[in-house]
Amino acid sequence: MKKSLIALAVMAAAGAASAQSSVTLFGIVDANISYQRTSGGEKNTFLANSGYNSSRLGFRGTEDLGGGLSASFWLEGALANDVGFGGSQATGFDFRRRSTVSLAGGWGEVRLGRDYVPTFWNMTVFDPFGTNGVGSNIGHKVKLDGGTAATAGGIVDPAYVRSNNMVQYFLPANLGGFYGQISYAFDETPNTAAGQQNAGRYIGGRLGFASGPFNVAAAYGQTDGQETFASPDVKNWNIGGQWDFGMAKLLGVYDRASYESVGVDNDLDTWLIGGLIPVGAGEIRLSYGRSKLDTAGGDPRTSQWALGYVHNLSKRTALYATYAHVSNKDGANISVGSSLQNRVAGLTNASSSGFDLGIRHSF
Amino acid sequence: MKKSLIALAVMAAAGAASAQSSVTLFGIVDANISYQRTSGGEKNTFLANSGYNSSRLGFRGTEDLGGGLSASFWLEGALANDVGFGGSQATGFDFRRRSTVSLAGGWGEVRLGRDYVPTFWNMTVFDPFGTNGVGSNIGHKVKLDGGTAATAGGIVDPAYVRSNNMVQYFLPANLGGFYGQISYAFDETPNTAAGQQNAGRYIGGRLGFASGPFNVAAAYGQTDGQETFASPDVKNWNIGGQWDFGMAKLLGVYDRASYESVGVDNDLDTWLIGGLIPVGAGEIRLSYGRSKLDTAGGDPRTSQWALGYVHNLSKRTALYATYAHVSNKDGANISVGSSLQNRVAGLTNASSSGFDLGIRHSF
Amino acid sequence: MKKSLIALAVMAAAGAASAQSSVTLFGIVDANISYQRTSGGEKNTFLANSGYNSSRLGFRGTEDLGGGLSASFWLEGALANDVGFGGSQATGFDFRRRSTVSLAGGWGEVRLGRDYVPTFWNMTVFDPFGTNGVGSNIGHKVKLDGGTAATAGGIVDPAYVRSNNMVQYFLPANLGGFYGQISYAFDETPNTAAGQQNAGRYIGGRLGFASGPFNVAAAYGQTDGQETFASPDVKNWNIGGQWDFGMAKLLGVYDRASYESVGVDNDLDTWLIGGLIPVGAGEIRLSYGRSKLDTAGGDPRTSQWALGYVHNLSKRTALYATYAHVSNKDGANISVGSSLQNRVAGLTNASSSGFDLGIRHSF
């Protein structure tokens, strides 16, 4: 997800004394033709977005405050460029991918606003398909979709990918390979509210170590719900890693999430292993993953394998093709489509397969 | 619709090896005072947008990939600058005017995403008023408005102006004056859906020839509906042209659209002729047009004449004034207003007239 | 509210003959942790936006047309950067802060579009806290909130801050210290509408004088309602001023608004006095204000005092802390929170206090 920069000379309105800083306009427009079908007979072809990288438009910048201190902002919104809307298929453009303001120094960074939660980083960084397109991490599909409430327990984690209202601290870059963050989101629920007074509160953290070809990270996060079936307490931890052998990169991630409420005690286990193999100007991508949801009514299971190829026309522009096959059993009903908008319906105990053919252009 | 450019040096994040490319921020803010009245007694004055050119804000860019190949993106959204919203009067900003990513070479251009459909190009390019303001092509008003369902057949063509989910191919520029495109939009309706399984599918194309003072183009498009009264199958073709005599430019367009469904078989014929006469730094614009809707319950007819003047203060900024008069008979009820938001109500068999006085500023 | 500029070389598409002009991308991201509590027992902590300056993103530009004439545009939208949405907490980004196009010369400026109304300028310019955060002008909180309909009369002034559809004239800058504007917004209600046919029409103006350390301005505005309880006619005037003593700046504003309709005749009086005291790279801010709503059912009264400190890390970036205490009596129920989203509930005759700790970064 390299992004090209527009470096702009910024002159403070009040004059020449201010330090040179930069504001960057950046984005990705990714479109693909996605053909998908299920063993239940449904077939469909879509013009979809974000098959390789998530389509986006953003503005960000950093100001050097002197003495090692800097302030920065980041405003980034999703693009459903197949239909011209913002993040979902039916709403305008917003900055729900990230909207933050930060103060950073040698001691690290304090960041305020909406952003990814710690656990999501492992789900996407250690997935060869980056949680995008038909090849996306099967755990990602299960979590986004939630499955049918009747059979799969109606998993709902509002802070699976991002959270509003966060205060985060990030470790500085110079810790000999260690990196990490702690993240807290205010629940903003009044203490006088009936029921769960912390509903919406998120607490999480991530710690990783990267050195040479090696990178591993573990993360934990929990969200307080409203203690109802549809809004359980969620506890989530995962661990992921990769090893770059030069001729190939091996990746893997294991994720466990618990959903607890009155009469609900579901556990979702999901893992994947995958690889990235450089081939000339391109890269072969492959993964295999499984998920199991432990519920009182049964243990729906899903597995997936995916194979893809990315051909880089330049650093900014790539063509890609991905094939994936999803199998459901024991009541699972996950579709091969990674987007709620552009996918065939998930059918109980059915399999589905999909093929993305697309272009990713970044700026 | 000339647009000024902000040429920005783009440096790929990964370094100096990348070719110099550009990202452009562009837009138009067009506002006018529009006074309109009907023979039914209604009078109203509006602050309206887009009386001369459609207000918009956009980002676009092109990357030279070498070997004659290039990748580009185009994100453009409408502005209702009288009220500060996006395209409609009540929603946020989005990129529903155009959101596409393209790959182009000597063989032409493949473009993916939301864009104009082929037939709309003839409606707007060969209208002296560019389908904007009270002078807008009368066929445009009929199609946007649809008329009263009871009397005019409830015309609904969701792909009259643009379509989601398109794959388009455009001819290259070097064909001795010939230009053209074919456009296909996926229906994205499941094959297992009850009723019309291709509802939403669009197929169209356009072929033109421009040489010296001469420009002519024909286009065809069809949209599959849901086989209901409100969602008929639509077939649309048109032909338009212009001849530049130097002292004046003569323009004309004929458009025919058929709306077919269970118990519905309506045909809309519309044509206009017009002219553009350069006068110093300005231009006189005039047009006359008629429409007839052939329905089982009667054949509502509308006619319009329009006269305007545009005074260019610069290439980017113009003042304009437009007057138009619309007559309805045989059950037609089309208003002189070209926008669904800022117009007097269309009354059956009534006439209406309107006057726009405004400013168009582009950047 | 200093804004840094991105000065971009703009080249008109048609070539080199055009004058050099500029387009500016600008914005503010302001986030704070806001702790608030009421004497009723409610406590809450929020990540809030706009505690010092209103978060925003905008595009503006000016074109020199020669002969002292210039055209300009201004598109600016609010950011709820704590949650990534636009102006409100639940909608996409739009340009509802300001979306205007202007023509200006030695005779002044004509401006078309959505903008602040004249009276709001005095409410915000002469408030040490700029109508932002827990220290915001108490009159601002009363007007935004409206209070409980049953006790406080359900104040609703849709044009309290801004209005759609305005035509405005501004005096030129060279009048020896005098400045001013007149503003008119079309009602856009059909003359054939039942009831109040001018509902939505706004008329207002402002006249000020600034010279050396002295600045004073008076403003008046009125909005036609629908002659219902929820949509009264509103008349509003105010006067504000400041005197810069060097070691401190003294500010004050008095505002009176009348809300009239069938069976409704409420008057709101509000005033504040405050000061700004420079301290090194920072500034101490303080204010005291009161409001009284004169209604048939009682005269709810609210008072507030506020104290804050702003520490400038640079011209663009500041840290700030603000404390405020609000007291209600005689049926008033105004909360200390200045935002409808991030505040404790306003309780009748209760007091509340709040503390903002935040960062403002502009670009």
Side-chain angles (χ1 to χ4, degrees), chain C residues 3 8 14 43 85 99 120 139 167 186 205 212-213 233 298 303 309 314 344:
Chain C
K3 291 171 211 120
L8 301 173
K43 294 180 283 191
F85 278 118
S99 60
F120 185 73
V167 178
F186 295 107
D233 290 343
S303 65
Y309 174 67
S314 73
V344 291

Side-chain angles (χ1 to χ4, degrees), chain A residues 45-108:
Chain A
T45 309
F46 309 92
L47 188 79
N49 65 75
S50 307
Y52 176 28
N53 291 162
S54 297
S55 294
R56 72 195 66 174
L57 176 69
F59 307 90
R60 64 175 190 257
T62 299
E63 180 194 17
D64 184 353
L65 296 168
L69 208 61
S70 66
S72 60
F73 76 99
W74 191 301
L75 298 167
E76 179 182 320
L79 300 173
N81 46 288
D82 45 343
V83 296
F85 279 119
S88 91
Q89 299 268 337
T91 59
F93 182 70
D94 54 41
F95 296 104
R96 301 268 293 165
R97 280 184 60 84
R98 178 169 167 188
S99 60
T100 62
V101 57
S102 292
L103 199 61
W107 41 266

Side-chain angles (χ1 to χ4, degrees), chain B residues 2-8 25 28-33 40-48 56-57 59 79-86 89 91-94 313-317 319 341-342 357-363, chain C residues 8-15 17-19 21-25 59 61-65 69 71-75 92-96 98-103 112-114 163-167 186-192:
Chain B
K2 301 164 218 85
K3 290 172 210 117
S4 55
L5 302 184
I6 300 171
L8 301 173
L25 164 67
I28 292 175
V29 184
D30 178 323
N32 65 87
I33 296 168
E42 184 177 338
K43 293 181 284 192
N44 213 336
T45 309
F46 309 92
L47 188 78
R56 71 195 67 175
L57 176 68
F59 307 89
L79 300 173
N81 45 288
D82 44 344
V83 296
F85 278 119
Q89 299 266 337
T91 59
F93 182 71
D94 54 42
L313 297 173
S314 74
K315 290 190 184 299
R316 294 170 52 195
T317 303
L319 303 178
Q341 281 82 35
N342 290 313
L357 183 65
I359 180 171
R360 188 281 325 266
H361 178 64
S362 63
F363 56 96
Chain C
L8 301 173
V10 175
M11 290 161 288
S18 65
S21 299
S22 70
V23 172
T24 300
L25 164 67
F59 306 89
T62 299
E63 181 194 18
D64 183 351
L65 296 168
L69 208 61
S72 60
F73 75 98
W74 192 301
L75 298 167
F93 182 72
D94 54 42
F95 296 104
R96 299 269 292 166
R98 178 170 167 188
S99 60
T100 61
V101 56
S102 293
L103 199 62
L112 306 179
R114 179 176 175 83
S163 176
N164 290 339
N165 301 313
M166 282 206 289
V167 178
F186 295 107
D187 55 70
E188 303 196 352
T189 303
N191 64 318
T192 51

Side-chain angles (χ1 to χ4, degrees), chain C residues 141-155 293 332-334 343:
Chain C
K141 292 176 185 173
V142 174
K143 289 189 170 195
L144 268 195
D145 185 1
T148 303
T151 59
I155 299 165
L293 182 66
N333 64 350
I334 303 303
R343 65 170 189 193

Side-chain angles (χ1 to χ4, degrees), chain B residues 5-359:
Chain B
L5 302 184
I6 300 171
L8 301 173
V10 175
M11 290 161 287
S18 65
Q20 203 73 0
S21 298
S22 71
V23 172
T24 299
L25 164 67
F26 65 96
I28 292 175
V29 184
D30 178 323
N32 65 87
I33 296 168
S34 185
Y35 172 75
Q36 300 170 27
R37 62 177 183 179
T38 73
S39 59
E42 184 177 338
K43 293 181 284 192
N44 213 336
T45 309
F46 309 92
L47 188 78
N49 66 75
S50 307
Y52 176 28
N53 290 161
S54 297
S55 293
R56 71 195 67 175
L57 176 68
F59 307 89
R60 63 174 190 256
T62 300
E63 181 195 17
D64 183 352
L65 296 168
L69 208 61
S70 66
S72 60
F73 75 97
W74 192 300
L75 299 168
E76 180 182 318
L79 300 173
N81 45 288
D82 44 344
V83 296
F85 278 119
S88 90
Q89 299 266 337
T91 59
F93 182 71
D94 54 42
F95 296 104
R96 300 268 292 165
R97 280 184 59 85
R98 179 170 166 188
S99 61
T100 61
V101 56
S102 293
L103 199 61
W107 41 266
E109 176 190 348
V110 171
R111 188 185 296 178
L112 306 180
R114 179 176 175 83
D115 197 2
Y116 285 122
V117 296
T119 42
F120 185 73
W121 283 110
N122 290 341
M123 291 293 276
T124 194
V125 167
F126 300 113
D127 173 8
F129 294 89
T131 54
N132 279 104
V134 294
S136 174
N137 188 334
I138 187 63
H140 180 66
K141 293 175 183 173
V142 174
K143 289 189 170 196
L144 269 195
D145 186 2
T148 304
T151 58
I155 299 165
V156 178
D157 181 0
Y160 159 52
V161 179
R162 297 178 181 86
S163 176
N164 290 339
N165 302 311
M166 282 206 288
V167 178
Q168 298 184 92
Y169 166 75
F170 291 78
L171 291 175
N174 57 354
L175 298 181
F178 284 99
Y179 59 90
Q181 69 184 94
I182 52 175
S183 304
Y184 179 83
F186 294 107
D187 55 70
E188 303 196 352
T189 304
N191 64 318
T192 51
Q196 172 57 283
Q197 294 162 3
N198 297 321
R201 184 176 62 179
Y202 175 86
I203 304 170
R206 182 172 181 242
L207 187 65
F209 178 75
S211 178
F214 180 70
N215 186 8
V216 65
Y220 174 78
Q222 63 177 59
T223 305
D224 286 64
Q226 292 170 303
E227 309 249 314
T228 64
F229 183 83
S231 176
D233 291 342
V234 181
K235 289 185 175 129
N236 186 194
W237 67 268
N238 57 30
I239 184 165
Q242 67 173 39
W243 190 282
D244 190 346
F245 295 97
M247 58 157 282
K249 199 183 282 185
L250 186 68
L251 304 88
V253 60
Y254 171 78
D255 183 272
R256 182 181 179 91
S258 302
Y259 308 84
E260 287 174 31
S261 184
V262 179
V264 179
D265 187 0
N266 295 342
D267 295 307
L268 175 67
D269 286 272
T270 180
W271 57 264
L272 77 72
I273 55 167
L276 293 169
I277 306 168
V279 184
E283 188 176 57
I284 293 171
R285 311 191 291 169
L286 41 88
S287 78
Y288 179 76
R290 305 189 80 146
S291 80
K292 188 186 89 169
L293 181 65
D294 185 352
T295 76
D299 294 354
R301 292 159 198 262
T302 305
S303 64
Q304 172 185 279
W305 63 267
L307 175 67
Y309 174 67
V310 175
H311 184 74
N312 294 301
L313 297 173
S314 74
K315 290 190 184 299
R316 294 170 52 195
T317 303
L319 303 178
Y320 61 88
T322 309
Y323 176 84
H325 182 86
V326 165
S327 301
N328 290 297
K329 62 179 180 180
D330 301 335
N333 63 351
I334 303 303
S335 166
V336 72
S338 71
S339 147
L340 296 180
Q341 281 82 35
N342 290 313
R343 66 169 188 194
V344 291
L347 289 179
T348 302
N349 295 336
S351 64
S352 58
S353 55
F355 185 73
D356 289 345
L357 183 65
I359 180 171

